[in-house]
Each structure stands twice: as C-alpha cells, then as structure tokens.
Amino acid sequence: MRIPLLLILCTIAFAACSRNDQTPSPRIPEDRFASYYASALVITQEGKLLKYDTLMTRHRIDSLQRTYQFSKEDVEETMKFYHNDLNRWKDLNLKVVKNIEEMQKKNE
C-alpha cells in the first residue's frame, strides 16, 4: 500500500516541479516603455506649465503612442503590470528618471 501512495506522491511532485513556471512579462518591453513613459510625463507637465487645454495634451500623448506604435490597451495593460508589483514599478521609475535626465542633457 505504501509503494503506490509513494509513487503517486512522486508523480505529483515531479509534475509540479517540471511545470513551466514563467514569470509574467509586460506587453511592452521595459526599456521602450520607460522611454515612452518619460516622454509622456514630460508632455503632461509641459501641458500643465504652459496651460495647454487637456485635449491638446491628450492629442500630443496620442501622437507619442503612434510614434512608439503602442495601442492604448497595450499602455494600460503595461501600467497595470507594473502597478501590481512594487519592485518592478520602482525599477521602471528609476529607468524613467534616467530617461528624463538624458532628455535634459540633450536640451542643455
């Protein structure tokens, strides 16, 4: 009786270990999204500082999405992906800050 039970437990353990446990990935690759998100933040802040109409800011962000060839759904799903994991969100924001700093250096 012990051998069949042991055999079943070993089979279950082997199946669990051999399962393909891939970590989920965002729809948009992290480096491209960090670059896009940095630009979108700059556009949003420029709109506030220059008192642009919100439609103008939205139009500029839509244009940015077309430039990067991202759909709104891709952007939303990627944002959800990062919002659900604090460590990934932190890593993404570090890349975004680096991208913004590079933009500033180019404009100096």
Side-chain angles (χ1 to χ4, degrees), residues 20 26 35 55 57 60 70 75 94 97 103 106-107:
N20 191 4
S35 177
L55 291 175
T57 300
R60 291 182 69 203
F70 296 161
V75 172
L94 291 173
V97 168
M103 286 182 210
K106 286 180 183 177
N107 289 329

Side-chain angles (χ1 to χ4, degrees), residues 2-4 12-13 16 19 26 30 37 39 47 51 64 68 72-73 76-77 83-84 86 89 98 108:
R2 284 183 163 214
I3 292 178
I12 292 171
R19 216 172 4 134
E30 186 171 306
Y37 194 56
S39 296
K51 299 185 189 317
L64 181 67
Y68 276 86
K72 288 180 184 179
E73 294 79 22
E76 288 172 6
E77 286 299 314
H83 282 173
N84 289 332
L86 185 59
W89 180 245
K98 189 179 281 189
E108 289 178 350

Side-chain angles (χ1 to χ4, degrees), residues 4-21:
L5 182 60
L6 186 59
L7 184 60
I8 292 171
L9 288 175
C10 287
T11 304
I12 292 171
F14 179 73
C17 290
S18 65
R19 216 172 4 134
N20 191 4
D21 288 330

Side-chain angles (χ1 to χ4, degrees), residues 28-63:
I28 301 171
E30 186 171 306
D31 289 337
R32 287 197 72 217
F33 189 71
S35 177
Y36 161 81
Y37 194 56
S39 296
L41 288 174
V42 168
I43 289 170
T44 302
Q45 292 306 310
E46 281 179 350
K48 289 177 182 178
L49 290 171
L50 299 173
K51 299 185 189 317
Y52 285 159
D53 185 339
T54 54
L55 291 175
M56 172 62 115
T57 300
R58 183 72 246 165
H59 174 72
R60 291 182 69 203
I61 290 178
D62 288 345
S63 177

